[in-house]
Amino acid sequence: MDRIELLMATLTPSAVLLLVAVAGIFVLVIGCIAVLILALMRRSADIGTLSAKLEAAEDELESVTGQRDAAEAALERFVTLADGASEVWTRTPFEPPDGYAERMAESIPIIAAANLKGGVGKTTLAANLAAWFDARGERVLLIDLDYQGSLTAMALGGDARGRDFGAPGARTLLRGEMPKVFPMAGAESNSGVIDASYPLLNEESRLLFRWLLGLEPGDVRYRLASLLLAPRVQTIYDRVIIDTPPRVTLSLVNALCAATHLVIPTQLNGLSTEAVQSFLATLDALRPRPLPPVQRYRILGMQKTWSTERMSRAELAAVAEIDRMLAMRGEPPGLFLRDAILPNMSGFQRAAGRGLAYRTEPSVRPELDRLGARIGRFAPSFAEELEEE
């Protein structure tokens, strides 16, 4: 202590200031070194984190590349569709519901109105048949599987204008779950409607590609069949009627795999009868797998004139062409419903888009009565105990 006091006493003020400055510089240098060390440590940590992220990105890129290759392979299979059928729909393995054939044989009638040509009357047929059977006390489940939702608008009538067109509806069916069932407009029994809207189109594509890539559990072709063959539907309803899209889509394939009966409506002209032949070839390509081996069908003529007794020459020629086509296929007689040709009456146009013609247009009822009775004999329900052909 004495030495320090002696040193301080001998130092001049300028020397003291110099010492203080040197000490300050020393402290500053130490501080700078510490900051530099901390910065280097932080930079090293950032480099480590960046390296880890880079490795993760490389792994993700490799995974995405693999998925892209798989997607390209799936897309290549998808675009090989020819005449409405391809290996996409007949790919193995097949995973139908347990006891599929037996349950189909014991099922209530599940009728699909189907054709690969638009504008032939599928929606008009499905909607008004549902109304006809409902008026006779049957509990009908009417399903719209065309994303355009025309059947939904008909079957819900005024209620359709206030509904949410983004609601799940038929999309939920393709996911393997039952959606909300809306009451059918003017229903006399406990008949209901499962609706469709434009989001169904994207859902079909999404589920199909996930299935082709092996990312979707189960067999997406049989999801509707699993639901319709379940006790929940089989005990609540007497009949199911399905309106299908005029394209080979996931919805159409589901409808064909679930249907016990097919009704193929066609306009009576050359182009439409050619479309029927193409559709029958598609069914041949899909049977016996994935479609059920036994599935009866009938062809229904939808003509442009207003009376079946005054058919035009072109319509008569179309009928003859259908008969010739069926004979060449070796089909049994009676597949074309000659006694149930449905004329293009103005009542159907007046009701289009706003309700069911059978409910709102008395002029069409006699024709629909004749048609409904014919379809009832073709696909009898347990409720009516009609004698099957």
Side-chain angles (χ1 to χ4, degrees), residues 168 170-172 174-175 198-210 216 223 250:
R171 288 182 292 158
T172 303
L174 297 185
R175 295 173 191 161
Y198 278 93
L200 174 61
L201 178 62
N202 291 334
E203 187 70 15
E204 288 178 304
S205 299
R206 187 185 73 85
L207 290 174
L208 176 59
F209 279 101
R210 281 180 57 83
E216 194 67 23
R223 286 189 173 171
L250 185 60

Side-chain angles (χ1 to χ4, degrees), residues 70-90:
E72 287 178 351
L75 181 61
E76 184 176 354
R77 291 200 303 271
F78 182 73
V79 298
T80 57
L81 288 171
D83 293 331
S86 81
E87 61 178 12
V88 173
W89 305 112
T90 57

Side-chain angles (χ1 to χ4, degrees), residues 282-317:
T282 297
L283 296 178
D284 293 341
L286 297 177
R287 189 172 286 117
R289 293 290 186 92
L291 302 190
V294 178
Q295 186 181 58
R296 285 164 292 180
Y297 75 89
R298 294 293 185 271
I299 298 172
L300 172 66
M302 312 279 279
Q303 64 181 127
K304 291 183 179 180
T305 51
W306 63 272
S307 170
T308 54
E309 284 75 31
R310 298 181 59 181
M311 297 174 66
S312 68
R313 290 184 179 180
E315 289 164 347
L316 291 172

Side-chain angles (χ1 to χ4, degrees), residues 168-247:
R171 288 182 292 158
T172 303
L173 289 175
L174 297 185
R175 295 173 191 161
E177 300 175 2
M178 281 294 292
K180 178 180 179 180
V181 178
F182 293 90
M184 183 189 300
E188 299 179 23
S189 302
N190 292 324
S191 297
V193 181
I194 294 179
D195 62 324
S197 54
Y198 278 93
L200 174 61
L201 178 62
N202 291 334
E203 187 70 15
E204 288 178 304
S205 299
R206 187 185 73 85
L207 290 174
L208 176 59
F209 279 101
R210 281 180 57 83
W211 177 57
L212 293 175
L213 293 171
L215 302 176
E216 194 67 23
D219 194 329
V220 296
R221 294 167 292 193
Y222 294 103
R223 286 189 173 171
L224 182 60
S226 296
L227 293 170
L228 298 186
L229 294 176
R232 177 179 176 181
V233 172
Q234 294 285 318
T235 57
I236 292 178
Y237 298 101
D238 300 304
R239 184 182 303 272
V240 178
I241 298 177
I242 307 171
D243 185 31
T244 65
R247 302 161 299 276

